[in-house]
């Protein structure tokens, strides 16, 4: 054990466990990024979380909180201390009358949905998967596909956060509003969210239908009722065939009905498609033919439908490891964006008007098209990436990584895609694989970014929750902004033979300030933190 940690452990309460391991190897769900944290810590109580933060401050360590690791970037990579809340995942209170529930932040969405179902309740909307922790999904701006719903964080009424000085505070629209707006999409940079209070809805089933439509039909219906006729709508564009899969769903009281089965949707089809994608890595010109084959066997015919529980029917199978590059743009710019991107992939440079050469570029996954609208919801997260003045279109340029190998087209494809998204007035999804956005561009995209940073810096003055990802995208070069004492910097990345990258970092900031972070925080924020100290029953605030 590190001698400094051993010394500091001897000075804190021995009756509060410090559940750490040195053997953990972290990787994202897509296995795009890997790192080896010095310690992997799984607390089971608020006292343990407070102890972790106290020890990290005294041992000069950065803290990274992770759940499922579904964000495919290096946002969660660290060589310092990693905190996982899978064992801090209880349902603390549930009022079926007011439909308000308070849970510990490590609870996975799948488990929350199951508990809610057993009590006749449900989350109003879901993203594509349910593996994330509730706090992780909120922290990165997770959304579904519906103009009647916004980000999943719109259901959040209040939060409890343990800050860098070890104190837990509550925040909501009525209490510590600035902290609440920063924490709704926190990017893990404020503290450790420990409790989430949510407004839920009565349990519901959905009836969904899936049909194949031409790209021209989808674009012609765009300004009609394509996105408003049904509660939930999403589209997948297959660019080479100029075909779209249109999926729609509405709540229903009909009995459950399973979808028609297909041999290609089972294990055999999974491996056939995976192998074809792998061959396409070496013979990229095959990819349009593979796309045609998948459309004919998977989506051809009269379409399909089913009646399922909302908690399962709203999900989708992510299939294989993938790169995902998703941007929000104004909904009305969708037809132009899709037309120009499709033209670029077909080599029609005049229509595309994108200053990148598309020759030799062959992609092998559909473009996912979803919608959301959080423009009328208040309070709004400082870093909400959707459009603030109207409905948003979410375009996701997905690229599968067969057997964990990056597709050869991804660099230039994403350069062209991101250039187009910027011209459309877009903003990237925080949890995805964007590459070409500078700090200056983020400052233009997010007029309230300075407010987020002000709150972040006030509540974590030593940078205990900051890493190289935050420096690159939010803080800027160190010549523009002084490094924080506990901020972790990237040392190097190494390409792995098995695919993805190994990330290495270190904490090399300036010396701690004369007042340590606990003392400085208490002087500046003592009265406010005391006023908002842990509440016995947060949910009672909204009854």
């Amino acid at each position: 054990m590190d001698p400094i940690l051993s010394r500091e452990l001897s000075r804190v309460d021995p009756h509060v466990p410090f559940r750490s391991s040195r053997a953990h190897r972290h990787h994202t769900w897509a296995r795009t990024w890997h790192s080896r944290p010095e310690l992997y810590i799984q607390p089971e109580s608020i006292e343990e979380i407070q102890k972790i933060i106290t020890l990290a401050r005294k041992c000069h360590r950065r803290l990274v909180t992770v759940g499922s690791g579904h964000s495919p970037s290096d946002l969660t990579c660290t060589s310092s201390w990693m905190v996982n809340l899978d064992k801090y995942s209880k349902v603390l209170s549930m009022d079926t009358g007011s439909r308000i529930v308070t849970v510990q932040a490590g609870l996975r969405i799948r488990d929350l949905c199951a508990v809610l179902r057993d009590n006749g309740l449900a989350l109003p909307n879901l993203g594509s998967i349910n593996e994330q922790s509730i706090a992780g999904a909120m922290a990165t701006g997770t959304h579904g596909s519906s103009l009647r719903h916004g980000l999943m964080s719109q259901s959040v009424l209040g939060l409890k956060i343990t800050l860098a000085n070890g104190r837990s505070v509550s925040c909501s629209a009525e209490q510590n509003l600035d902290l609440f707006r920063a924490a709704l999409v926190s990017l893990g940079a404020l503290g450790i969210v420990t409790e989430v209070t949510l407004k839920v809805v009565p349990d519901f089933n959905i009836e969904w239908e899936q049909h194949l439509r031409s790209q021209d039909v989808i674009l012609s219906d765009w300004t009609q009722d394509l996105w408003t006729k049904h509660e939930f709508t999403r589209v997948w564009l297959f660019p080479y065939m100029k075909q779209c899969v249109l999926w729609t769903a509405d709540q229903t009281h009909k009995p459950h009905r399973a979808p028609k089965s297909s041999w290609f949707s089972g294990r055999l089809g999974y491996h056939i498609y995976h192998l074809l994608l792998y061959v396409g890595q070496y013979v990229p010109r095959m990819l349009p033919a593979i796309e045609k084959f998948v459309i004919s066997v998977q989506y051809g015919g009269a379409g399909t439908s089913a009646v399922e529980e909302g908690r399962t029917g709203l999900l989708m199978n992510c299939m294989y490891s993938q790169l995902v590059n998703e941007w929000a743009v104004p909904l009305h710019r969708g037809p132009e964006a899709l037309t120009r991107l499709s033209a670029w992939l077909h080599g029609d440079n005049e229509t595309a008007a994108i200053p990148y050469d598309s020759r030799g570029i062959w992609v092998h996954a559909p473009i996912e098209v979803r919608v959301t609208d959080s423009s009328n919801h208040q309070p709004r997260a400082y870093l909400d990436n959707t459009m603030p003045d109207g409905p948003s279109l979410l375009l996701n340029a997905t690229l599968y990584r067969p057997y964990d190998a990056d597709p050869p087209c991804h660099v230039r494809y994403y350069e062209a895609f991101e250039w187009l998204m910027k011209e459309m007035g877009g903003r990237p999804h925080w949890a995805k694989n964007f590459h070409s956005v500078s700090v200056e561009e983020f400052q233009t995209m997010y007029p309230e970014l300075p407010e987020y940073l002000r709150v972040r810096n006030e509540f974590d003055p030593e940078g205990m929750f900051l890493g190289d990802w935050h420096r690159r995208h939010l803080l800027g070069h160190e010549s523009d902004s002084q490094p924080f004492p506990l901020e972790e910097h990237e040392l190097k990345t190494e390409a792995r033979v098995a695919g993805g990258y190994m990330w290495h970092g270190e904490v090399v900031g300036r010396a701690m300030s004369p007042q340590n972070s606990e003392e400085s925080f208490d002087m500046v924020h003592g009265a406010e933190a005391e006023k908002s100290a842990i509440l016995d029953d947060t949910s009672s605030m909204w009854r």
Side-chain angles (χ1 to χ4, degrees), residues 333-522:
R333 305 207 69 173
E336 178 188 355
L338 290 173
T339 298
R340 291 174 63 183
L341 183 59
S342 180
W344 187 81
L345 290 170
H346 282 271
D348 181 358
N349 294 323
E350 182 177 352
T351 301
I354 297 174
Y356 289 89
D357 190 355
S358 64
R359 288 176 294 181
I361 295 297
W362 307 91
V363 303
H364 58 221
I367 298 164
E368 185 180 29
V369 186
R370 295 185 288 174
V371 292
T372 192
D373 190 356
S374 61
S375 59
N376 293 320
H377 181 78
Q378 295 296 333
R380 181 179 171 88
Y382 289 130
L383 298 185
D384 186 334
N385 80 304
T386 63
M387 299 296 103
D389 53 1
S392 299
L393 176 71
L394 293 310
L395 290 180
N396 187 359
T398 303
L399 288 173
Y400 289 131
R401 303 176 63 247
Y403 304 105
D404 295 348
D406 288 342
C409 68
H410 77 280
V411 174
R412 201 187 325 160
Y413 179 40
Y414 279 174
E415 286 176 340
F417 177 72
E418 293 185 15
W419 186 92
L420 177 62
M421 293 299 98
K422 291 177 187 177
E423 188 168 85
M424 296 290 103
R427 297 170 165 181
H429 190 302
W430 292 110
K432 309 300 185 184
N433 293 108
F434 58 88
H435 295 283
S436 64
V437 189
S438 66
V439 171
E440 293 73 23
E441 286 173 316
F442 273 124
Q443 291 170 346
T444 301
M445 293 173 181
Y446 292 89
E448 291 188 301
L449 177 59
E451 283 301 296
Y452 169 83
L453 292 176
R454 176 187 63 79
V455 175
R456 202 229 69 77
N457 294 344
E458 286 180 2
F459 286 95
D460 179 23
E462 309 293 353
M464 179 181 291
F465 300 99
L466 287 177
D468 197 82
W469 187 97
H470 303 98
R471 171 62 60 183
R472 295 197 312 269
H473 299 304
L474 302 180
L475 301 174
H477 300 295
E478 291 181 3
S479 58
D480 303 323
S481 171
Q482 283 291 326
F484 293 80
L486 301 184
E487 177 186 343
E488 187 175 16
H489 301 259
E490 179 185 296
L491 273 178
K492 62 179 179 179
T493 60
E494 300 172 318
R496 300 175 67 253
V497 174
Y501 294 88
M502 177 63 73
W503 190 95
H504 302 270
E506 65 176 351
V507 176
V508 291
R510 56 187 168 83
M512 298 283 277
S513 58
Q515 298 166 324
N516 66 30
S517 61
E518 181 172 9
E519 292 169 339
S520 61
F521 185 96
D522 285 347

Side-chain angles (χ1 to χ4, degrees), residues 1 3 14 57 63 73 84 105 111 151 173 178 219 238 253 260 301 338 358 366 382 393 424 445 447 470 473 480 499:
M1 180 181 290
R57 185 174 62 250
L63 291 179
S73 72
N84 172 266
D111 299 323
L151 300 183
D178 286 354
L219 296 182
F238 291 85
H253 297 291
K260 292 184 294 185
L338 290 173
S358 64
Y382 289 130
L393 176 71
M424 296 290 103
M445 293 173 181
H470 303 98
H473 299 304
D480 303 323

Side-chain angles (χ1 to χ4, degrees), residues 91-113:
V91 176
L92 299 176
S93 67
M94 183 180 302
D95 188 321
T96 56
S98 63
R99 296 197 289 273
I100 292 175
V101 58
T102 298
V103 302
Q104 292 178 333
L107 186 65
R108 298 296 179 102
I109 293 175
R110 63 169 185 265
D111 299 323
L112 172 59
C113 288

Side-chain angles (χ1 to χ4, degrees), residues 25-27 31-37 77-79 490-496 499-505:
R25 180 168 181 161
H26 169 70
H27 64 77
R31 297 175 296 281
T32 45
W33 287 94
H34 303 247
S35 66
R36 289 185 180 275
C77 287
T78 184
S79 297
E490 179 185 296
L491 273 178
K492 62 179 179 179
T493 60
E494 300 172 318
R496 300 175 67 253
Y501 294 88
M502 177 63 73
W503 190 95
H504 302 270

Side-chain angles (χ1 to χ4, degrees), residues 229-249:
K229 185 176 181 180
H230 302 277
E231 183 174 359
F232 304 98
T233 304
R234 59 189 179 215
V235 171
W236 292 273
L237 168 64
F238 291 85
Y240 297 117
M241 302 304 296
K242 295 189 175 181
Q243 296 287 314
C244 297
V245 173
L246 172 63
W247 185 95
T248 60

Side-chain angles (χ1 to χ4, degrees), residues 129-393:
I129 64 166
N130 60 2
E131 299 298 316
Q132 312 107 306
S133 67
I134 186 65
M138 177 190 67
T140 52
T142 297
H143 60 86
S145 188
S146 173
L147 288 184
R148 304 179 199 178
H149 304 281
L151 300 183
M152 286 186 65
S153 59
Q154 280 190 199
S155 298
V156 175
L157 298 177
L159 300 167
K160 287 183 182 176
I161 308 175
T162 303
L163 301 166
N165 69 333
R167 181 170 304 192
S168 293
V169 299
S170 298
C171 59
S172 67
E174 294 80 23
Q175 185 179 22
N176 292 329
L177 177 59
D178 286 354
L179 179 60
F180 186 57
R181 293 186 65 195
L184 284 174
V185 178
S186 70
L187 304 177
L190 288 175
I192 299 179
V193 174
T194 57
E195 292 181 18
V196 183
T197 297
L198 300 146
K199 180 73 173 181
V200 295
V201 299
D203 191 25
F204 61 91
N205 294 334
I206 59 168
E207 181 176 25
W208 61 261
E209 296 183 355
Q210 183 170 280
H211 300 280
L212 194 63
R213 296 285 185 265
S214 71
Q215 178 179 325
D216 289 341
V217 168
I218 292 294
L219 296 182
S220 67
D221 289 346
W222 197 275
T223 57
Q224 304 301 316
D225 59 359
L226 175 65
W227 301 108
T228 58
K229 185 176 181 180
H230 302 277
E231 183 174 359
F232 304 98
T233 304
R234 59 189 179 215
V235 171
W236 292 273
L237 168 64
F238 291 85
Y240 297 117
M241 302 304 296
K242 295 189 175 181
Q243 296 287 314
C244 297
V245 173
L246 172 63
W247 185 95
T248 60
D250 291 290
Q251 295 188 33
T252 184
H253 297 291
K254 295 179 181 179
H256 289 184
R257 184 180 74 250
K260 292 184 294 185
S261 61
S262 163
W263 70 268
F264 194 75
S265 61
R267 184 180 297 272
L268 178 61
Y270 174 91
H271 290 293
I272 289 175
Y273 190 23
H274 207 180
L275 182 59
L276 288 173
L277 291 172
Y278 185 73
V279 174
Q281 299 276 80
Y282 300 95
V283 191
R285 289 181 179 273
M286 288 180 55
L287 293 172
I290 294 173
E291 180 180 295
K292 183 177 181 179
F293 168 74
V294 171
I295 288 177
S296 64
V297 298
Q298 179 82 10
Y299 303 110
T304 186
S305 65
V307 177
E308 298 184 58
E309 295 179 72
R311 70 187 183 99
T312 57
L314 291 173
L315 306 177
M316 62 171 287
N317 184 353
C318 291
M319 301 283 284
Y320 318 111
S321 171
Q322 55 194 248
L323 299 175
V324 283
N325 196 340
E326 180 182 274
W327 288 60
V329 301
L331 179 61
H332 71 272
R333 305 207 69 173
E336 178 188 355
L338 290 173
T339 298
R340 291 174 63 183
L341 183 59
S342 180
W344 187 81
L345 290 170
H346 282 271
D348 181 358
N349 294 323
E350 182 177 352
T351 301
I354 297 174
Y356 289 89
D357 190 355
S358 64
R359 288 176 294 181
I361 295 297
W362 307 91
V363 303
H364 58 221
I367 298 164
E368 185 180 29
V369 186
R370 295 185 288 174
V371 292
T372 192
D373 190 356
S374 61
S375 59
N376 293 320
H377 181 78
Q378 295 296 333
R380 181 179 171 88
Y382 289 130
L383 298 185
D384 186 334
N385 80 304
T386 63
M387 299 296 103
D389 53 1
S392 299
L393 176 71

